[in-house]
């Protein structure tokens, strides 16, 4: 989120940056209170810190609640950001190190637009992994599952018991599979005019 231009007009009071709440990734948090700001709250990243802009009249409890709300909003926005091929390859490398002791080493990992009936594919002989562009914008744990699935094929080509044992180490396997099954089922639903306010 970009800074609200109104906060520049007043002289906001600044609360020193504090460490992030436990469980939240990343940077320190700086709360800026403004007498000009009446009801709106906004937040943005500024270097290695998160700045949260709030009305001066807010209580400490309201401030903490809004800081948490805005951190969640920023995280959701950032998770929707599309990874490029380089970032995807780096992610595959990290996942291989974390779950397969670095044994799965793809020669290339990239997005493709010609896979409409499968989420990903792997050619073990070449070491190449391709993910469908339809995964872009899905939750990170789903993309990670598909990446791990294809990385596992570099170690075990088929879908036998040994292959599935490899994926057992990823704690969100069942959740990710359920999410993808839901997407497939939703795609098969008939279009009903007006069902979604159309």
């Amino acid at each position: 989120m970009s800074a609200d231009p109104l906060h520049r007009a007043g002289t906001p009071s600044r609360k020193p940056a504090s460490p992030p709440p436990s469980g939240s990734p990343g940077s320190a948090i700086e709360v800026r209170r403004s007498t000009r700001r009446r009801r709106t709250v906004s937040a943005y990243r500024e270097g290695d810190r998160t700045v949260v802009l709030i009305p001066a009249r807010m209580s400490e409890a309201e401030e903490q609640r809004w800081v948490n709300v805005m951190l969640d909003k920023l995280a959701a926005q950032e998770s929707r950001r599309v990874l490029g091929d380089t970032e995807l390859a780096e992610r595959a490398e990290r996942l291989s190190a974390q779950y397969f002791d670095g044994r799965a080493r793809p020669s290339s990992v990239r997005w493709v637009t010609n896979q409409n009936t499968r989420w990903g594919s792997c050619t073990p002989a070449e070491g190449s992994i391709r993910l469908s562009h339809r995964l872009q914008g899905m939750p990170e744990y789903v993309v990670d599952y598909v990446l791990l699935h294809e990385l596992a094929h570099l170690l075990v080509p088929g879908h036998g018991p040994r292959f599935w044992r490899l994926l057992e180490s990823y704690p969100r396997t069942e959740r990710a599979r359920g999410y993808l099954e839901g997407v497939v089922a939703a795609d098969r639903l008939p279009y009903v005019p007006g069902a979604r306010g159309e």
Side-chain angles (χ1 to χ4, degrees), residues 114-133:
N114 62 351
Q115 288 189 153
N116 294 315
T117 58
R118 55 173 66 180
W119 299 112
S121 62
C122 173
T123 308
E126 297 173 5
S128 61
I129 290 174
R130 295 158 305 280
L131 295 192
S132 170
H133 71 287

Side-chain angles (χ1 to χ4, degrees), residues 88 91 111 131 135 138-147:
L88 198 61
R91 191 179 199 121
W111 295 107
L131 295 192
L135 287 164
M138 288 190 188
E140 288 182 6
Y141 73 91
V142 175
V143 176
D144 286 351
Y145 165 73
V146 177
L147 266 175

Side-chain angles (χ1 to χ4, degrees), residues 10-89:
T11 312
S13 64
R14 293 185 180 201
K15 190 173 183 177
S18 59
S22 63
S24 71
S27 61
I29 300 161
E30 180 181 323
V31 176
R32 296 181 187 169
R33 290 175 173 263
S34 172
T35 52
R36 291 192 175 249
R37 189 175 282 272
R38 296 286 176 232
R39 291 189 310 239
T40 60
V41 176
S42 62
Y44 61 95
R45 304 286 191 205
E46 186 176 82
D48 65 345
R49 72 180 58 221
T50 302
V51 177
V52 181
L53 308 167
I54 65 171
R57 62 173 177 70
M58 271 193 184
S59 68
E60 290 291 321
E62 287 176 309
E63 173 186 315
Q64 190 54 55
R65 184 176 74 81
W66 276 106
V67 164
N68 290 331
V69 165
M70 299 314 288
L71 286 175
D72 288 347
K73 273 188 163 181
L74 285 172
Q77 283 180 337
E78 289 162 359
S79 74
R80 287 193 294 268
R81 186 177 63 86
V82 174
L83 299 174
D85 288 349
T86 302
E87 293 166 306
L88 198 61

